[in-house]
């Protein structure tokens, strides 16, 4: 069992800026508004759940984010909200607090713009303003700069389980004594090229996945909050194998008070599995109502479970993530 | 100074195998020969058009060489980055003498900055053309940065926790450092780690747009330096606890004694000129290793050849380890981005094993305000302790401390 405790949470979601509002919407099965994402130059559009860009007022005047894409604004806003929920100011954090950032797609808006610029100009040269923001760790860099963190910063990339890798890394940093506190942030931004990609991957079929964007942050450290335990983090050969990996991790587990799954659209294998194993436990599927924001949505799941713990500190929750790239993870939050 | 809380490591971390593939060679032996020869591997870029760029040169692995590497047919559908990663992994696993056993690493930790970016470019371009969707599906899947790890794990039949680290140009060092920390803290016994990156048009044009690429030659730390040249490749290390290695009667090739990682918030692409970023990472690596700065014999520098990086890093080295000999092997094979940290860790181990220091090509005289002991010729030298530095966009700083295995 890790020494790490969840002492703060913050979210940026298409269902609003607070964890309580997000949790209420998910519990009441209220769906976020649907927007159409257009791909200019192509006659295609995709239904998606987007975040109102004015819903992160705390980042609007930050000089560091002047030229940043939405993902960085989301990440910084979620981080600030997590600190706020822990009643901490950035200067209260130990100087060697670590930051672990996770994303599946990174700064895809600027990456697409930069490359489109290359194609349109038909030259080798692109925008020097856009390129630095395209690196996967750009949002982490902006979070660190905003909070004044000078300790270790690490960015992890994969399918939705990247966020679980980030949480595992965070607990390892705390348990090994390498960092006294760790801020875990995950963020995604929507872009038509992402929708095109996932459609090509046959995830956006009728009844398939509706993608979304946003961020979430978890502050881990000593203090009052639920514990977090990584029961499974696997890389398998097929999505069915990944589900089986979660199933194996469930062996001998007592019945939890809440289960938060990653399934959405027509992909409901996890719900079926958990309903069979724990028929009396409530199952929440936040991606059904807020859309699939990949790694960010995985931390939404953890934030939901942490919020439930607040109301009942003896409760345990399971958080299950089945990624699109045959990775799986199972986490347990508890006393 | 940050880094006061870096705890010493509990368990010894042995490097029991390593492998690399890149412009200096298809495996370690030919790479070692190239390091000895000291001939830079740069050539005109032929993988994509560089029209409109100021720079047209890089160090890369021509496709025919990769095709002739003897990889199995099933890898033909993989991105070239994944194929490079497999080659380096196979060599490392074989060197560790684990091949054929049923052992699997508990973790598989790899750094990259851009995954299979060139196929992402192809996908983007294909949307404006009438190309078959079947191809697009492969492009999307293989573009993902985790895909090479999944392919290699499948191929090696590993059941390992995958971690993809993307800390810009420090990614490879962060992956190796994090893996070492898992072993050092007793959370893992056997971990495979490394880095990979393949040259792509987008990344090349990006560095060119920033005017970070040299229009002359790569000459890190030289007063005339005018930028970096890009490279590519993959490097992989097998890390084990000393007890695990002893149990299976393996032998350490080197010891990984320390790791430091910090953040520099000065600017997204420029380091703090004071050198505080590199210095703090080196301090942490020294603290975990329990070394005095004066005991460091050689530093394989990040040394990109950009005015800002080399000035900041040089300042940190001059203040912290003025006695250490220094060279940047990027002067020979370019900056392989996510692979660089792991690649340079491998080069550092080769220096320890083979008792030589690789040269810093193109160096004549350094900045007037910096006094560094730059290695200008391949030098026979019995180094015992080496630091390997890596720094990246976003202020990611990493340093590995490696020691000779007697």
């Amino acid at each position: 069992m890790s020494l790490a405790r969840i002492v703060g949470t913050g979210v940026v979601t298409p269902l609003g800026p607070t964890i309580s509002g997000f949790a209420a919407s998910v519990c009441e099965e209220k769906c976020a508004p649907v927007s159409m994402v257009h791909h200019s130059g192509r006659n295609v559009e995709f239904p998606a759940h987007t975040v109102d860009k004015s819903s992160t007022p705390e980042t609007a005047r930050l000089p560091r984010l002047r030229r940043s894409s939405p993902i960085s604004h989301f990440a910084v806003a979620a981080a600030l909200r997590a600190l706020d929920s822990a009643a901490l100011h950035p200067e209260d954090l130990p100087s060697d607090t670590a930051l672990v950032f996770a994303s599946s797609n990174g700064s895809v808006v600027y990456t697409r713009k930069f490359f489109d610029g290359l194609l349109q100009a038909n030259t080798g040269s692109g925008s020097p303003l856009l390129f630095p923001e395209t690196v996967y760790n750009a949002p982490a860099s902006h979070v660190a700069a905003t909070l004044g963190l000078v300790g270790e910063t690490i960015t992890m990339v994969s399918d939705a389980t990247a966020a679980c890798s980030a949480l595992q890394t965070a607990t390892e940093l705390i348990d090994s004594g390498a960092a006294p506190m760790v801020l875990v942030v995950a963020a995604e931004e929507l872009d038509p090229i992402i929708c095109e990609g996932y459609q090509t991957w046959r995830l956006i079929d009728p009844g398939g996945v509706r993608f979304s964007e946003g961020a979430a942050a978890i502050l881990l450290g000593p203090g009052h909050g639920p514990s977090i335990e990584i029961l499974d983090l696997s890389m398998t050969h097929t999505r069915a194998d990944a589900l089986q990996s979660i199933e194996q991790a469930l062996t001998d587990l007592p019945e939890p008070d809440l289960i938060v799954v990653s399934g959405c659209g027509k992909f409901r294998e996890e719900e079926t599995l958990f309903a069979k194993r724990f028929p009396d436990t409530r199952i929440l599927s936040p991606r059904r109502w807020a859309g699939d924001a990949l790694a960010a949505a995985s931390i939404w799941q953890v934030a939901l479970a942490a919020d439930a713990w607040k109301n009942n500190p003896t409760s345990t929750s399971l958080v299950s993530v089945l990624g699109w790239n045959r990775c799986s993870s199972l986490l347990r939050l508890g006393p | 100074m940050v880094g006061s809380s870096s705890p010493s490591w509990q368990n010894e971390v042995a490097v029991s195998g390593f492998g690399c593939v890149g412009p200096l060679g298809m495996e370690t032996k030919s790479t070692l020969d190239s390091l000895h020869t000291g001939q830079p591997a740069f050539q005109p870029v032929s993988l994509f058009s560089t029209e409109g760029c100021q720079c047209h040169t890089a160090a890369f692995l021509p496709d025919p060489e990769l095709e002739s590497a003897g990889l199995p047919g099933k890898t033909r559908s993989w991105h070239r980055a994944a194929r490079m990663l497999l080659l380096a992994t196979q060599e490392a696993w074989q060197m560790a003498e684990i091949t054929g056993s049923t052992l699997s690493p508990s973790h598989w930790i790899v750094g990259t900055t851009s995954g299979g970016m060139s196929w992402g470019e192809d996908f983007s371009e294909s949307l404006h053309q009438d190309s078959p969707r079947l191809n697009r599906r492969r492009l999307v899947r293989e573009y993902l940065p985790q895909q090479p790890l999944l392919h290699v794990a499948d191929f090696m039949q590993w059941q390992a926790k995958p971690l993809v680290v993307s800390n810009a140009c420090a990614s490879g060092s962060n992956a190796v450092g994090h893996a070492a920390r898992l072993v050092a803290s007793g959370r893992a016994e056997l971990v495979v780690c490394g880095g990979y990156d393949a040259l792509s048009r987008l990344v090349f044009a990006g560095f060119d747009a920033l005017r970070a690429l040299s229009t002359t030659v790569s000459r890190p730390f030289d007063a005339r330096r005018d930028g970096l040249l890009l490279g590519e490749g993959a490097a992989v290390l097998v890390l084990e606890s000393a007890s695990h290695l002893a149990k299976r009667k393996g032998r350490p090739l080197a010891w990984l004694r320390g790791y430091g990682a910090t953040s520099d918030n000065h600017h997204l692409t420029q380091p703090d000129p004071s050198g505080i970023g590199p210095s703090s990472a080196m301090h942490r690596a020294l603290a975990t290793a329990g070394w005095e700065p004066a005991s460091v014999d050689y530093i394989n520098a990040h040394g990109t050849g950009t005015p800002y990086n080399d000035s900041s890093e040089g300042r940190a080295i001059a203040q912290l380890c003025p006695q250490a000999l220094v060279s940047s092997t990027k002067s020979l094979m370019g900056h392989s981005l996510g692979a660089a940290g792991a690649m340079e860790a491998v080069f550092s181990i080769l220096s320890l094993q083979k008792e030589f220091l690789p040269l810093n090509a193109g160096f004549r005289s350094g900045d007037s305000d910096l006094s560094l002991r730059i290695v200008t010729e391949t030098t026979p030298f019995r180094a015992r302790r080496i630091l390997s530095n890596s720094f990246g966009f976003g202020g990611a700083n990493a340093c590995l401390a490696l020691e000779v295995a007697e």
Side-chain angles (χ1 to χ4, degrees):
Chain A
M1 174 73 77
S2 170
L3 301 170
R5 298 264 159 180
I6 296 175
V7 296
T9 55
V11 295
V12 174
T13 82
L15 284 169
T18 64
I19 186 63
S20 55
F22 179 68
S25 295
V26 170
C27 291
E28 292 163 20
E29 304 191 346
K30 280 187 188 163
C31 194
V34 177
S35 320
M36 298 308 289
V37 176
H38 301 268
H39 198 170
S40 59
R42 280 172 54 78
N43 190 24
V44 290
E45 58 180 17
F46 304 90
H49 301 297
T50 55
V51 170
D52 180 356
K53 304 302 180 280
S54 65
S55 69
T56 58
E58 56 270 73
T59 66
R61 292 182 184 278
L62 291 174
R64 175 84 181 205
L65 296 181
R66 204 170 58 240
R67 293 185 183 126
S68 299
S69 66
I71 189 173
S72 293
H73 287 265
F74 298 158
V76 171
L80 290 169
R81 289 171 192 178
L83 260 63
D84 194 45
S85 82
L88 291 171
H89 297 289
E91 56 272 22
D92 298 330
L93 294 173
S95 67
D96 44 0
T97 297
L99 169 65
V100 187
F101 178 71
S103 187
S104 294
N105 295 314
S107 306
V108 68
V109 172
Y110 277 23
T111 304
R112 199 250 315 147
K113 281 184 182 172
F114 180 80
F115 192 66
D116 281 356
L118 288 185
L119 294 179
Q120 282 160 16
N122 200 25
T123 73
S125 200
S127 163
L129 298 180
L130 293 177
F131 181 66
E133 299 284 347
T134 67
V135 294
Y136 279 111
N137 64 325
S141 161
H142 294 312
V143 173
T146 303
L147 302 185
L149 301 177
V150 293
E152 179 168 355
T153 296
I154 189 162
T155 291
M156 308 205 135
V157 184
S158 188
D159 60 17
T161 59
C164 308
S165 299
L167 284 166
Q168 180 188 264
T169 301
T171 59
E172 286 162 354
L173 285 167
I174 288 177
D175 293 342
S176 67
M181 296 188 89
V182 182
L183 183 62
V184 176
V185 184
E188 305 285 355
E189 62 185 11
L190 261 177
D191 186 87
I193 195 82
I194 288 300
C195 299
E196 297 258 23
Y198 285 103
Q199 185 185 49
T200 304
W201 213 356
R202 297 176 192 163
L203 295 176
I204 311 185
D205 294 331
V209 177
R210 191 169 286 162
F211 280 90
S212 70
E213 61 184 359
I218 298 278
L219 182 63
L220 291 170
H224 183 65
S227 64
I228 184 162
E229 192 178 0
I230 317 294
L231 302 172
D232 173 49
L233 182 59
S234 300
M235 169 176 63
T236 64
H237 303 286
T238 65
R239 193 170 157 85
D241 286 347
L243 185 69
Q244 198 174 26
S245 182
I246 292 174
E247 188 173 11
Q248 279 172 0
L250 290 176
T251 310
D252 299 331
L253 279 189
E255 180 155 4
D257 298 286
L258 176 69
I259 297 165
V260 191
V261 298
S262 66
C264 56
K266 64 186 176 188
F267 301 95
R268 311 286 279 272
E269 314 95 303
E270 289 163 274
E271 279 175 80
T272 307
L273 169 71
F274 282 104
K276 197 173 157 192
R277 178 76 170 78
F278 301 117
D280 298 326
T281 306
R282 182 167 197 191
I283 300 174
L284 296 179
S285 313
R287 287 171 217 241
R288 283 177 68 187
W289 316 110
D292 192 352
L294 301 165
S298 300
I299 304 288
W300 292 346
Q301 290 178 248
V302 177
L304 270 181
D307 188 60
W309 183 90
K310 264 192 201 168
N311 300 324
N312 178 8
T314 61
S315 66
T316 58
S317 302
L318 293 178
V319 174
S320 151
V321 180
L322 189 57
W324 298 123
N325 209 196
R326 60 202 172 98
C327 295
S328 66
S329 187
L330 183 69
L331 288 69
R332 179 165 58 183
L333 274 66
Chain B
M1 178 60 63
V2 294
S4 55
S5 73
S6 297
S8 291
W9 287 359
Q10 295 164 18
N11 299 330
E12 287 194 304
V13 183
V15 180
S16 58
F18 56 86
C20 63
V21 55
L24 295 180
M26 292 298 291
E27 25 57 46
T28 300
K29 187 180 177 309
S30 53
T31 302
L32 177 64
D33 291 344
S34 297
L35 284 172
H36 268 296
T37 309
Q39 186 64 37
F42 302 106
Q43 56 181 315
V45 176
S46 58
L47 298 172
F48 47 82
S49 169
T50 59
E51 193 184 343
C53 291
Q54 294 207 329
C55 174
H56 305 281
T57 311
F60 57 95
L61 205 56
D63 279 335
E65 281 192 41
L66 201 52
E67 296 296 331
S68 63
L71 284 168
K74 69 190 279 191
T75 66
R76 283 202 195 102
S77 62
W78 300 6
H79 189 273
R80 55 199 300 276
R83 303 168 89 190
M84 288 194 269
L85 184 63
L86 177 62
L87 283 170
T89 307
Q90 284 180 310
E91 186 188 14
W93 201 239
Q94 196 167 11
M95 191 184 291
E97 297 178 335
I98 306 178
T99 307
S101 81
T102 54
L103 275 179
S104 171
S106 60
H107 296 72
W108 172 216
I109 308 175
V110 178
T112 182
T113 66
S114 55
M117 179 59 81
S118 69
W119 283 6
E121 296 166 8
D122 291 348
F123 172 74
S124 183
E125 280 194 90
S126 79
L127 293 176
H128 303 283
Q129 302 160 357
D130 273 336
S131 55
R133 178 162 290 200
L134 190 64
N135 284 346
R136 283 188 194 160
R137 195 172 182 201
R138 188 179 70 153
L139 294 174
V140 170
R141 189 186 62 228
E142 301 294 324
Y143 149 80
L144 298 170
Q146 66 268 29
Q147 194 64 26
L149 275 80
L150 295 166
H151 277 318
V152 172
D154 281 353
F155 191 91
M156 304 297 289
Q157 297 184 306
W158 288 342
Q159 297 291 325
K161 289 187 175 77
L163 293 179
V164 185
V165 176
S166 197
N167 265 19
C169 306
S171 302
S173 281
N174 287 123
V176 174
H178 184 61
R181 193 164 46 202
L182 288 173
V183 175
S185 64
R187 281 165 183 77
E189 293 280 9
L190 173 65
V191 180
V192 182
C193 55
Y196 78 89
D197 256 324
L199 212 54
S200 73
R201 180 181 171 192
L202 186 146
V203 173
F204 190 94
F207 277 95
D208 192 79
L210 288 173
R211 299 293 181 259
L213 297 184
S214 172
T215 54
T216 56
V217 296
S218 173
R219 44 189 161 204
F221 298 109
D222 188 89
R224 299 162 300 158
R225 67 187 182 274
D226 66 346
L228 61 88
L229 288 175
L230 286 170
E232 64 175 3
V236 170
L237 295 90
V238 180
L239 305 184
E240 286 183 70
S241 69
S243 57
H244 188 269
L245 188 62
K247 211 176 291 174
R248 68 175 189 88
K249 297 187 170 48
R251 63 188 180 92
L253 307 176
W255 298 105
L256 217 165
R257 297 294 193 197
Y259 166 55
T262 59
S263 303
D264 176 346
N265 296 325
H266 179 70
H267 187 270
L268 188 55
T269 59
Q270 291 170 15
D272 189 316
S274 71
I276 181 73
S279 176
S280 60
M282 291 163 68
H283 264 291
R284 281 198 177 195
L286 291 166
T288 48
W291 292 355
E292 288 299 322
S295 71
V296 175
D297 299 309
Y298 165 70
I299 296 174
N300 187 305
H302 184 57
T304 57
T306 61
Y308 289 123
N309 173 82
D310 293 5
S311 169
S312 171
E313 182 180 16
R315 208 169 294 283
I317 292 172
Q319 286 168 2
L320 194 59
C321 299
Q323 80 292 342
L325 291 157
V326 179
S327 67
S328 166
T329 39
K330 290 185 179 74
S331 63
L332 300 174
M333 68 153 285
H335 190 350
S336 54
L337 305 175
M343 188 74 77
E344 289 157 16
V346 167
F347 294 172
S348 297
I349 296 166
L350 288 173
S351 289
L352 292 167
Q353 279 192 316
K354 307 295 179 187
E355 300 185 352
F356 82 104
L357 301 181
L359 65 82
N360 188 113
F363 182 86
R364 195 188 297 160
S365 62
D367 293 356
S368 56
D369 61 338
L370 276 182
S371 178
L372 296 172
R373 299 182 67 201
I374 302 292
V375 181
T376 56
E377 288 179 357
T378 307
T379 306
F381 189 87
R382 199 173 172 202
R384 297 183 57 81
R385 290 178 169 179
I386 289 180
L387 295 182
S388 178
N389 284 342
S390 295
F391 315 116
F393 278 8
N397 306 307
C399 177
L400 299 168
L402 293 138
E403 191 168 41
V404 71
E406 302 291 2

